């Protein structure tokens, strides 16, 4: 028996409109207990969460997340962090042989463990009648986020989950790829491109964006930066022939192309290395 688990999965939707009502402490305690029960590498549980309910801090988090207002209005934002500090302190106290830096494997496992905790929290919240929204934008301001939350060395943010009671039950379900696209048996196999494109088109539901000079300029600048002028010219010519921006062309060429103020590769290397993670 699945005890309604698959019904819960089917009803799960990303919510971006929350009531300001606070989450009762007993409910939050249940969610945190569920989060702590999540599996982790070696059962080390190298994860900590910061529950942000302070109005001023929520406003700052909203600013770090493309000024999405629902982050400030929701009752709580949960920042899931990879935490090797706790184990480092215990190792020093007990004289266990732990290196004074976190290697690449532990770094990757920390991201996995924190993500599992976040998903466990989300499903528990859904079971309690709450709704959530995963947020990765804050990672583009990891250094500022660490200062905001007073994260010490060996503790870095992985993902944030905004949680609260939804303003409405009429929330749009976003289409998903099915197992025919995402599941491979025994080895990876590429789909025929026409089949893959049909699945992509069905998922996006024919999502199109009007051609506007500003959008075309942004797509062109992004394409030129990534692949050069010749490829950018071909990209814009194809867009003009079809008469609209497709879903991928818009989201990758316009929306997520604006990295102004965000951390770049060098910034991340410096940030993680300063935080005790050896990723050189």
């Amino acid at each position: 028996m699945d005890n309604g688990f698959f019904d819960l999965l089917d009803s799960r939707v990303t919510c971006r409109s929350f009531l300001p009502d606070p989450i009762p402490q007993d409910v939050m305690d249940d969610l945190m207990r569920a989060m702590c029960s999540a599996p982790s590498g070696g059962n080390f549980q190298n994860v900590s969460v910061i529950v942000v309910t302070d109005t001023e801090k929520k406003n700052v988090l909203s600013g770090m997340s493309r000024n999405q207002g629902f982050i400030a209005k929701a009752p709580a934002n949960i920042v899931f962090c990879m935490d090797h500090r706790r184990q480092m302190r215990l190792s020093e106290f007990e004289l266990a042989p732990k290196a004074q830096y976190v290697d690449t494997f532990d770094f990757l496992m920390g991201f996995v463990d924190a993500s599992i905790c976040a998903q466990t929290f989300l499903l528990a919240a859904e079971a309690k009648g709450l709704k959530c929204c995963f947020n990765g934008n804050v990672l583009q301001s990891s250094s500022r986020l660490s200062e905001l939350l007073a994260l010490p060395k060996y503790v870095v943010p992985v993902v944030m989950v905004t949680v609260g009671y939804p303003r409405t039950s009429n929330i749009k379900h976003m289409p998903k790829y099915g197992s025919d696209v995402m599941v491979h048996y025994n080895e990876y196999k590429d789909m025929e491109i026409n089949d893959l494109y049909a699945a992509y088109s069905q998922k996006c539901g024919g999502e199109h964006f009007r051609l506007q000079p500003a959008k075309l300029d942004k797509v062109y600048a992004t394409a030129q930066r990534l692949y050069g002028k010749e490829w950018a010219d071909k990209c814009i010519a194809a867009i003009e022939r079809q008469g609209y921006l497709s879903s991928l062309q818009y989201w990758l060429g316009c929306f997520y192309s604006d990295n102004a103020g965000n951390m770049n590769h060098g910034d991340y290397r410096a940030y993680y290395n300063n935080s005790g993670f050896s990723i050189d």
Side-chain angles (χ1 to χ4, degrees):
M1 295 179 62
D2 62 51
N3 294 319
F5 178 73
F6 287 93
D7 291 336
L8 185 148
L9 290 181
D10 290 338
S11 66
R12 190 213 66 79
V13 290
T14 295
C15 179
R16 292 183 175 87
S17 180
F18 299 93
L19 295 170
D21 305 11
I23 301 170
Q25 190 58 50
D26 62 328
V27 173
M28 186 63 79
D29 290 343
D30 287 343
L31 301 185
M32 291 302 155
R33 185 167 62 252
M35 182 276 298
C36 290
S37 73
S40 63
N43 197 33
F44 288 128
Q45 294 183 283
N46 291 326
V47 178
S48 284
V49 304
I50 313 296
V51 181
V52 181
T53 57
D54 177 77
T55 299
E56 185 174 334
K57 289 184 184 292
K58 288 192 297 180
N59 286 331
V60 176
L61 291 175
S62 176
M64 290 181 185
S65 305
R66 299 177 181 271
N67 295 312
Q68 297 181 86
F70 71 88
I71 293 170
K73 294 175 182 177
N77 293 279
I78 320 298
V79 181
F80 291 80
C81 302
M82 180 194 327
D83 183 352
H84 284 271
R85 182 178 182 84
R86 185 165 54 239
Q87 190 179 75
M88 192 74 71
R89 295 181 63 212
L90 289 169
S91 298
E92 291 175 354
F93 182 81
E94 200 175 57
L95 300 180
K98 181 173 175 63
Q100 294 299 304
Y101 64 88
V102 181
D103 64 20
T104 303
F105 175 78
D106 286 336
F107 177 79
L108 294 174
M109 285 303 300
F111 263 81
V112 171
D113 290 347
S115 299
I116 292 172
C117 279
Q119 179 67 1
T120 302
F121 171 90
L122 179 144
L123 292 177
E126 289 279 339
K128 290 285 190 179
L130 295 154
K131 292 296 180 185
C132 301
C133 180
F134 269 104
N135 182 308
N137 290 136
V138 290
L139 294 184
Q140 296 173 314
S141 305
S142 291
S143 183
R144 291 169 53 209
L145 182 59
S146 289
E147 293 180 8
L148 178 71
L149 304 181
L151 301 184
K153 191 174 182 179
Y154 304 116
V155 182
V156 297
V158 171
V159 70
M160 185 173 82
V161 176
T162 301
V163 59
Y165 294 101
R167 284 191 176 275
T168 177
S169 59
N170 187 25
I171 306 174
K172 180 181 177 182
H173 281 72
M174 297 300 291
K176 304 289 184 181
Y177 283 132
S179 58
D180 58 328
V181 175
M182 297 180 63
V183 179
H184 307 256
Y185 288 96
N186 298 315
E187 62 183 20
Y188 190 100
K189 293 182 180 179
D190 275 326
M191 293 178 68
E192 292 291 335
I193 188 60
N194 289 334
D195 294 335
L196 177 58
Y197 192 75
Y200 154 72
S201 299
Q202 182 178 14
K203 175 186 175 182
C204 294
E207 182 179 49
H208 295 160
F209 297 86
R210 286 189 306 155
L211 293 188
Q212 295 175 336
K215 287 188 174 71
L216 285 176
D217 289 345
K218 203 166 230 185
V219 172
Y220 187 88
T222 303
Q224 185 175 29
R225 173 171 54 85
L226 294 174
Y227 298 110
K229 183 179 184 304
E230 183 178 354
W231 197 92
D233 289 339
K234 290 180 180 179
C235 177
I236 294 302
I239 290 172
E240 289 178 336
R241 282 196 302 272
Q242 70 190 16
Y244 58 85
L245 283 167
S246 72
S247 179
L248 280 180
Q249 288 164 342
Y250 171 74
W251 292 110
L252 300 183
C254 294
F255 191 82
Y256 290 113
S257 63
D258 184 6
N259 295 315
N262 294 333
M263 295 170 66
N264 59 32
H265 177 69
D267 296 330
Y268 280 116
R269 284 186 60 186
Y271 167 72
Y272 288 123
N273 285 327
N274 290 337
S275 298
F277 296 83
S278 180
I279 60 171
D280 288 329

